[in-house]
Amino acid sequence: MAQSLEMRFSGWGIDADAGDLSDHVVEWLEARFGGPLPQRVAAPESENVRIRKSQLPRAVEAKLSSKLGAANVSTDHLSRLVHAAGKGYPDLLAMRGADKIPAPDAVVYPADQADVKAVLKICTKHGVAVVPFGGGTSVVGGVSPLRGNFASVIALDLRRMRSLISLDEQSRIGVFAAGLRGPELEHLLRSRGYTLGHFPQSFEYSTVGGWVATRSAGQASAGYGRIDEKLLGARLVAPAGELNLTARPASAAGPDLRAIVAGSEGALGVITEASLEISPAPEVTRYEALMMPSFAAAAEALRALEQQGQAPDVARASDESETEMGLAFAGIEGAKGKLLEGYLRGRGAGSGALLVLGWEGPHGTIDDRRRAALSLIKPHGAVGLGAGAGRTWAKNRFSTPYLRDHLLDRGVMVETLETSTTWANLMVVYRGVGDALAQHAPVVGCHISHLYQSGASLYFTFVAPQSAADPLSQWEAAKHEACRAIIEHGGTITHHHAIGVDHRRYLKAEDGEAGVAALRAVKQSLDPRGLMNPGKLL
Amino acid sequence: MAQSLEMRFSGWGIDADAGDLSDHVVEWLEARFGGPLPQRVAAPESENVRIRKSQLPRAVEAKLSSKLGAANVSTDHLSRLVHAAGKGYPDLLAMRGADKIPAPDAVVYPADQADVKAVLKICTKHGVAVVPFGGGTSVVGGVSPLRGNFASVIALDLRRMRSLISLDEQSRIGVFAAGLRGPELEHLLRSRGYTLGHFPQSFEYSTVGGWVATRSAGQASAGYGRIDEKLLGARLVAPAGELNLTARPASAAGPDLRAIVAGSEGALGVITEASLEISPAPEVTRYEALMMPSFAAAAEALRALEQQGQAPDVARASDESETEMGLAFAGIEGAKGKLLEGYLRGRGAGSGALLVLGWEGPHGTIDDRRRAALSLIKPHGAVGLGAGAGRTWAKNRFSTPYLRDHLLDRGVMVETLETSTTWANLMVVYRGVGDALAQHAPVVGCHISHLYQSGASLYFTFVAPQSAADPLSQWEAAKHEACRAIIEHGGTITHHHAIGVDHRRYLKAEDGEAGVAALRAVKQSLDPRGLMNPGKLL
Ligand SMILES: Cc1cc2nc3c(=O)[nH]c(=O)nc-3n(C[C@H](O)[C@H](O)[C@H](O)COP(=O)(O)OP(=O)(O)OC[C@H]3O[C@@H](n4cnc5c(N)ncnc54)[C@H](O)[C@@H]3O)c2cc1C
Ligand SMILES: Cc1cc2nc3c(=O)[nH]c(=O)nc-3n(C[C@H](O)[C@H](O)[C@H](O)COP(=O)(O)OP(=O)(O)OC[C@H]3O[C@@H](n4cnc5c(N)ncnc54)[C@H](O)[C@@H]3O)c2cc1C
């Protein structure tokens, strides 16, 4: 296997960055926490982490090997370890615990649709649970190697399926193999003059199949749309059959099966291909930062932009707390942030809400759109910080995940969660969830980053000194209170992270008894033995 | 019951229009058919139409009456007759046959959600099939009173549920009771400054519940979107439970249940409310007609508009044949069409393709959008016909259904069917379906009326002398060949008319075995006894 596709098991990215938090950040955190951070404790080396012996029967391994080739069925320590978890906070905690880590009993790497079918057939016959594995960037336990009622479980890693299967320029449809990751996909498209325009923060490692399976939303969703809005067709191989949905612009032929594939989270089958709407690659990209007098004013400005058809392609408004946090942390990422600091010093820290806007498109369209947008938000009190600050954000937008590892090294719990609701209800949910989190973390920030006619997303970050005794329970308590607040105040339990393990107990509050029963019926139909990703989603 | 909500059983609208086809149209048809049209035979009077005696057990009728009030449970001849069919060609044929018409055994009129639940409970207990009935404008047999394995069947007519339940102006969400029809809904919204922007040709009679149940698309879908794109939340009462989906802008909480409600065609349960995205009522409306050198050129012009973000709110391109037909028929509808005729005479009839574009929106935006659009389509050979011709189209756009009745009176079969496909495949499907229909009808026309980044809809009209001996088989043969051609060439079996009875045999070609099985599983979960709209969709 090409190891370069594999992140290190205990954190983000490929190389453990030797760096540490800057003094500035440490000071800032210590001031908030009211005490010193512990000394740096790095994550363990992979060979020092203990995982259970593989439970996959030899006969099954032999069958898989004879179908896929022995090189494509791995039971070695490292392969199993890197497929043992996603990248949520509890995942990273477990990996740092270095002991009794549940891991898949084997990792298989199919080359194509036929291989996937063969694997599911073997697993059905022998009662082996299957966890579809894309980039492994799930933050909700989506790739945890749960085995349900089965004695063994494999991770089915789609990394060998990474082609651009076809490109229909006239209809602007790309058909992609499920294992393609962000950078490679964009490279393939850009060389033909197109972009998918899908940039989740996990872009560098997450995959087409993972995006569709989780109904992912990228940072430029205001302009290019969510992945489920771009999904025109798909292939999903399930134990009991196959969905092969041809790319179609629109149809009234009964309920839309694409909406069953999107969000299926590996629990219904393996997505092998997706037909997605693509866009011309932008000729110009322009980012810009502004300061708003308050988060509420920023939200109103974004609502005006969206509802008047003037939304930029990227739109992100941080609340006062996140704005301050962003400045404090900017040092780490090499950004200067001088302008911002000057501005905040002038007004008093904590009083402004940072707004980042980005436009992408052909020459000659950006200026007009930008002008129209800026004139709309001016009445809401926007003060320009210039393109420099905007570019800094754009440059660093995929680097935050690395920061999390540094914080963990220093005994800091940092976690995010997200929801969406209507504009009318946005500040209600914002306050409700914020208050709940404030019980558990001295630092809580929030931003809006996805806009809709009817509402927007809210993305919370909370930071606290890690409980040395029981960090998992500490996280669980905060997470649970936040989820309860989301539900109580009418938000969705997840706007783009999916259900996985973590949100499973809240699904009924969202879909109701009858809704969950209907989804279970779909699962029963496609996966009657229940081997697909047990313990997730449903 | 307010009789004004009821169309006449045998055709469109409330009053049988005493008018007949103009001499001009008759001549035009006779020239194409190569022979005279039969003399006018009007549809029978309702009292002369024979329907089967109601099979609803007295005890069940009594129970329904005691729950809903006797006035809201009808078994009289006329109520049953007007609920005996939709408005497809076979429906109208049957009604004109005047004999052995299958009709629902009773019609019930619930006042609210609780009534709907009570009715389903009674029907579950006593084994009575239920056909949800909105406006009864289905053209695919969606409201045919099939009883499946049950001894009796009722029509559940939602006309008493017609309120605007709530309006959230900040989030632009209207919550509508399912029985609201187009004009009343627009009236309620316009008085508050909003529009739904949903204008199917059946607008005058079709309902919110029917739109959602069939995934309807209105004439202004390019601007306002399809109904399934506007659907943010819904309530669906099923025999086994209830889906109560709160309006949410977006979510990643597993598969989207809204996509199970949309297109459910009464086969899963009764939609009682829908939360739909609304828009500000337009201050200005501007329609315009142009002539394109060919249908292919018109299609390319529309693709350019849509893909460059310059699509007007209404966009409709007729092929050469429909353009000619439209001119011939314009007389009937009181339109002059002088300009068009002059144009066509100049170029030779049959050589141009009519393009109608419409813009709606606030003052000061229309001009720029219009200019940008016109400059984009000019290179495709567009010649302006002026706003007069555009207005004529807009004025008459809901009147075509009345024309169909006049044609039927004169022994003319006129039927429509529709599909959508990708831009790259559009002309392939166009030719394939056109060729299939040409085997059955001397006059075949087509238009594009719904645009997407990835493709467009195709809407065919075919006209032929009616077979006196067996008009139903004549229709079936043409319909079947057209459907086969749609599937063979890669179109969807229906872009906005739904599956109903007529397309049921083709659903497997679209969704595959596993897809149909998954939908059946959903049905089994929500409607285990199978009483909801048997014989439709699945
Ligand atoms: C630092 C960080 C930032 C993130 N930022 C964003 C963001 O901006 N927007 C966003 O939407 N998400 C974000 N996420 C969450 C995550 O990246 C997304 O859920 C992503 O879509 C997962 O893709 P993946 O390929 O890594 O899937 P995985 O993590 O491998 O799998 C996710 C789920 O999908 C299933 N799955 C994966 N591939 C397939 C397949 N081919 N067929 C069937 N099921 C499959 C898995 O079984 C699992 O249930 C972020 C995560 C991290 C760690
Ligand atoms: C002349 C003419 C023009 C048309 N033009 C268009 C057009 O431009 N665009 C378009 O999309 N369609 C068009 N149609 C088709 C038809 O109008 C649509 O399908 C419409 O959405 C049906 O609405 P309705 O209220 O009349 O539903 P009905 O005909 O009463 O029912 C249609 C289906 O939906 C089900 N249903 C109805 N209400 C409910 C409910 N509350 N809960 C659950 N199920 C329900 C019924 O059981 C049935 O299966 C046209 C039809 C005609 C006759």
Side-chain angles (χ1 to χ4, degrees):
Chain A
M1 289 303 90
Q3 284 296 343
S4 66
L5 292 170
E6 209 136 83
M7 274 193 274
R8 60 210 174 88
F9 77 100
S10 61
W12 194 252
I14 291 179
D15 298 313
D17 189 316
D20 198 353
L21 298 179
S22 73
D23 291 348
H24 178 59
V25 170
V26 172
E27 270 163 43
W28 189 86
L29 287 171
E30 290 180 341
R32 256 115 215 118
F33 292 178
L37 297 191
Q39 283 310 301
R40 182 167 185 269
V41 182
E45 296 300 319
S46 61
E47 49 287 11
N48 298 331
V49 176
R50 293 205 323 206
I51 60 177
R52 196 156 76 125
K53 196 171 156 296
S54 171
Q55 304 295 307
L56 192 70
R58 276 286 158 84
V60 179
E61 190 187 333
K63 274 200 181 175
L64 289 167
S65 294
S66 95
K67 268 286 174 200
L68 270 61
N72 298 312
V73 181
S74 302
T75 51
D76 63 282
H77 179 80
L78 187 61
S79 297
R80 292 177 56 212
L81 185 60
V82 294
H83 290 86
K87 298 296 176 190
Y89 180 72
D91 294 323
L92 301 183
L93 278 187
M95 289 303 162
R96 284 166 178 262
D99 205 10
K100 290 180 288 182
I101 301 211
D105 298 303
V107 185
V108 305
Y109 303 92
D112 54 25
Q113 172 110 354
D115 273 1
V116 172
K117 279 191 198 169
V119 171
L120 293 196
K121 203 168 158 195
I122 293 168
C123 290
T124 300
K125 180 151 180 220
H126 297 278
V128 177
V130 177
V131 180
F133 196 103
T137 68
S138 171
V139 286
V140 291
V143 293
S144 295
L146 305 184
R147 58 197 72 216
N149 297 322
F150 301 96
S152 54
V153 56
I154 60 165
L156 189 144
D157 183 320
L158 290 137
R159 71 177 62 177
R160 291 172 70 205
M161 296 170 64
R162 290 204 321 281
S163 60
L164 171 58
I165 295 167
S166 67
L167 183 68
D168 172 353
E169 304 194 37
Q170 210 180 334
S171 316
R172 294 198 177 163
I173 301 171
V175 183
F176 304 96
L180 261 179
R181 294 172 187 219
E184 192 173 356
L185 177 147
E186 280 298 318
H187 177 75
L188 288 165
L189 283 182
R190 299 271 171 148
S191 70
R192 307 279 292 267
Y194 294 93
T195 180
L196 180 61
H198 188 69
F199 306 108
Q201 202 190 36
S202 56
F203 174 76
E204 292 170 285
Y205 293 96
S206 55
T207 64
V208 167
W211 299 336
V212 172
T214 61
R215 298 174 72 195
S216 165
Q219 291 169 345
S221 76
Y224 297 99
R226 299 165 62 86
I227 206 75
D228 40 355
E229 292 169 334
K230 296 166 177 298
L231 186 71
L232 301 169
R235 295 183 81 164
L236 178 133
V237 177
E242 188 190 330
L243 293 181
N244 190 352
L245 309 174
T246 313
R248 294 225 167 82
S251 170
D256 189 350
L257 292 176
R258 295 177 298 190
I260 284 175
V261 175
S264 55
E265 299 194 17
L268 303 181
V270 182
I271 298 162
T272 55
E273 323 179 348
S275 305
L276 299 169
E277 197 173 293
I278 57 171
S279 304
E283 293 165 2
V284 188
T285 319
R286 174 158 184 157
Y287 291 93
E288 192 147 326
L290 302 105
M291 196 59 77
M292 303 297 295
S294 68
F295 185 50
E300 274 305 293
L302 290 180
R303 180 167 81 90
L305 287 173
E306 174 69 22
Q307 292 188 342
Q308 294 182 45
Q310 294 294 354
D313 299 300
V314 171
R316 182 184 163 113
S318 297
D319 71 354
E320 292 81 352
S321 167
E322 193 184 86
T323 299
E324 202 197 320
M325 194 180 358
L327 281 183
F329 281 52
I332 277 190
E333 297 169 7
K336 293 292 165 288
K338 285 278 180 287
L339 257 168
L340 290 137
E341 285 190 70
Y343 176 91
L344 281 183
R345 249 194 309 274
R347 298 181 51 115
S351 68
L354 182 68
L355 182 62
V356 175
L357 304 178
W359 295 267
E360 311 201 337
H363 286 297
T365 60
I366 300 298
D367 286 352
D368 285 355
R369 289 179 60 206
R370 181 177 160 271
R371 233 190 321 272
L374 294 184
S375 83
L376 260 180
I377 62 176
K378 209 151 202 174
H380 297 274
V383 176
L385 299 171
R391 270 196 301 272
T392 301
W393 176 82
K395 200 173 128 244
N396 293 309
R397 60 179 168 159
F398 301 128
S399 64
T400 326
Y402 297 92
L403 169 62
R404 187 169 55 155
D405 296 327
H406 296 309
L407 289 166
L408 275 169
D409 286 352
R410 296 299 301 267
V412 177
M413 165 169 89
V414 51
E415 174 63 318
T416 64
L417 50 85
E418 33 77 69
T419 180
S420 82
T421 189
T422 58
W423 290 112
N425 198 39
L426 199 69
M427 287 297 137
V428 176
V429 173
Y430 170 64
R431 277 185 223 105
V433 179
D435 289 351
L437 287 172
Q439 305 299 314
H440 298 269
V443 178
V444 180
C446 180
H447 65 252
I448 294 172
S449 47
H450 304 273
L451 311 182
Y452 307 90
Q453 285 288 311
S454 58
S457 66
L458 290 170
Y459 185 98
F460 295 88
T461 302
F462 56 101
V463 187
Q466 199 176 72
S467 148
D470 190 353
L472 189 62
S473 300
Q474 177 194 25
W475 170 82
E476 273 169 356
K479 173 82 180 170
H480 180 57
E481 290 303 319
C483 289
R484 273 185 39 170
I486 286 174
I487 287 165
E488 184 187 329
H489 296 289
T492 174
I493 194 63
T494 171
H495 166 268
H496 63 261
H497 280 168
I499 294 294
V501 172
D502 297 352
H503 296 137
R504 206 173 153 225
R505 56 198 278 210
Y506 310 104
L507 187 63
K508 205 167 272 177
E510 181 120 355
D511 283 351
E513 295 266 358
V516 172
L519 293 178
R520 272 192 217 287
V522 172
K523 174 157 172 88
Q524 173 69 26
S525 165
L526 289 166
D527 175 26
R529 289 201 63 181
L531 46 109
M532 295 309 306
N533 221 1
K536 322 293 168 58
L537 178 59
L538 289 167
Chain B
M1 288 305 90
Q3 283 296 343
S4 67
L5 292 170
E6 208 136 83
M7 274 193 275
R8 59 211 174 89
F9 77 99
S10 61
W12 194 252
I14 291 178
D15 299 314
D17 188 318
D20 198 354
L21 298 179
S22 74
D23 290 350
H24 178 59
V25 170
V26 172
E27 268 165 41
W28 189 86
L29 286 171
E30 289 180 342
R32 256 115 214 120
F33 292 177
L37 296 191
Q39 282 312 300
R40 184 168 183 270
V41 181
E45 297 300 320
S46 61
E47 51 286 11
N48 297 332
V49 175
R50 293 206 321 208
I51 59 177
R52 196 156 76 125
K53 194 169 155 297
S54 172
Q55 305 294 307
L56 191 71
R58 275 287 158 82
V60 179
E61 191 185 333
K63 275 200 181 176
L64 289 167
S65 294
S66 94
K67 268 285 173 201
L68 271 60
N72 297 312
V73 181
S74 303
T75 51
D76 63 282
H77 180 81
L78 188 60
S79 298
R80 292 176 57 213
L81 186 61
V82 294
H83 290 88
K87 298 296 176 190
Y89 181 72
D91 295 322
L92 301 183
L93 278 187
M95 289 302 162
R96 285 165 178 261
D99 206 10
K100 290 180 290 184
I101 300 210
D105 298 304
V107 185
V108 305
Y109 304 92
D112 55 23
Q113 172 110 355
D115 273 2
V116 172
K117 279 191 199 172
V119 171
L120 293 196
K121 203 168 158 193
I122 293 168
C123 290
T124 300
K125 180 151 181 215
H126 297 279
V128 178
V130 177
V131 180
F133 197 102
T137 67
S138 170
V139 285
V140 292
V143 292
S144 294
L146 305 183
R147 57 196 74 216
N149 297 322
F150 301 97
S152 56
V153 56
I154 60 165
L156 188 144
D157 184 319
L158 290 138
R159 70 176 64 177
R160 290 172 71 206
M161 296 169 65
R162 290 205 321 280
S163 60
L164 171 59
I165 296 167
S166 67
L167 183 67
D168 172 353
E169 304 194 37
Q170 210 181 334
S171 316
R172 293 198 177 163
I173 301 170
V175 183
F176 304 96
L180 262 179
R181 294 170 187 221
E184 193 174 354
L185 177 147
E186 280 297 319
H187 177 75
L188 288 166
L189 283 182
R190 298 270 171 150
S191 71
R192 306 280 291 268
Y194 294 92
T195 180
L196 180 61
H198 188 69
F199 307 108
Q201 203 189 35
S202 56
F203 174 76
E204 291 169 284
Y205 292 96
S206 54
T207 64
V208 168
W211 299 337
V212 172
T214 61
R215 297 173 74 193
S216 164
Q219 291 169 344
S221 75
Y224 296 100
R226 300 166 60 89
I227 206 75
D228 40 356
E229 292 168 334
K230 295 166 179 298
L231 187 72
L232 300 170
R235 295 183 81 163
L236 177 132
V237 177
E242 188 190 330
L243 292 181
N244 190 352
L245 309 174
T246 313
R248 294 227 166 81
S251 170
D256 189 351
L257 291 177
R258 297 177 297 191
I260 283 174
V261 175
S264 55
E265 299 194 17
L268 303 181
V270 182
I271 297 163
T272 55
E273 315 179 357
S275 304
L276 299 169
E277 196 175 293
I278 57 171
S279 305
E283 293 165 3
V284 188
T285 320
R286 175 159 183 156
Y287 291 94
E288 191 147 326
L290 301 105
M291 196 58 78
M292 302 298 293
S294 68
F295 185 50
E300 275 305 294
L302 291 179
R303 180 166 81 89
L305 286 173
E306 173 69 22
Q307 292 188 342
Q308 293 181 46
Q310 295 293 355
D313 299 300
V314 171
R316 182 185 163 112
S318 297
D319 71 353
E320 292 82 352
S321 168
E322 191 184 86
T323 299
E324 202 196 320
M325 195 180 356
L327 280 184
F329 281 52
I332 280 187
E333 298 168 6
K336 292 293 164 288
K338 284 279 180 286
L339 258 169
L340 290 138
E341 286 192 70
Y343 176 92
L344 281 184
R345 250 197 309 275
R347 300 181 47 113
S351 67
L354 183 68
L355 182 63
V356 175
L357 304 179
W359 293 266
E360 311 199 339
H363 287 297
T365 60
I366 301 297
D367 285 353
D368 284 356
R369 289 179 60 205
R370 180 177 160 270
R371 234 191 321 271
L374 294 184
S375 83
L376 260 181
I377 62 176
K378 208 146 202 184
H380 297 274
V383 177
L385 299 171
R391 272 197 300 272
T392 301
W393 175 82
K395 198 172 130 247
N396 292 308
R397 61 180 169 159
F398 300 127
S399 64
T400 326
Y402 298 92
L403 169 63
R404 187 169 57 155
D405 296 328
H406 296 309
L407 289 165
L408 275 169
D409 286 352
R410 296 300 300 270
V412 177
M413 165 169 88
V414 52
E415 173 64 317
T416 63
L417 50 86
E418 33 77 71
T419 180
S420 82
T421 189
T422 59
W423 290 112
N425 198 39
L426 199 70
M427 287 297 136
V428 176
V429 173
Y430 169 65
R431 278 185 221 105
V433 178
D435 289 350
L437 286 172
Q439 306 298 313
H440 298 269
V443 178
V444 180
C446 180
H447 65 252
I448 294 171
S449 47
H450 304 275
L451 311 182
Y452 307 91
Q453 285 288 311
S454 58
S457 66
L458 290 170
Y459 186 98
F460 294 87
T461 302
F462 55 101
V463 187
Q466 199 176 69
S467 148
D470 190 354
L472 189 62
S473 300
Q474 176 194 26
W475 170 83
E476 272 168 356
K479 173 82 179 169
H480 180 57
E481 290 302 319
C483 289
R484 273 185 40 169
I486 285 173
I487 287 165
E488 184 188 329
H489 295 289
T492 174
I493 194 64
T494 171
H495 166 269
H496 62 260
H497 279 168
I499 295 292
V501 172
D502 297 353
H503 296 137
R504 205 172 155 227
R505 58 199 277 211
Y506 310 104
L507 187 63
K508 205 166 273 178
E510 182 120 356
D511 282 352
E513 295 266 358
V516 172
L519 293 178
R520 273 192 216 288
V522 173
K523 175 160 171 87
Q524 173 69 25
S525 165
L526 290 166
D527 175 27
R529 290 200 62 182
L531 44 110
M532 296 309 306
N533 221 359
K536 320 294 166 57
L537 179 58
L538 289 167

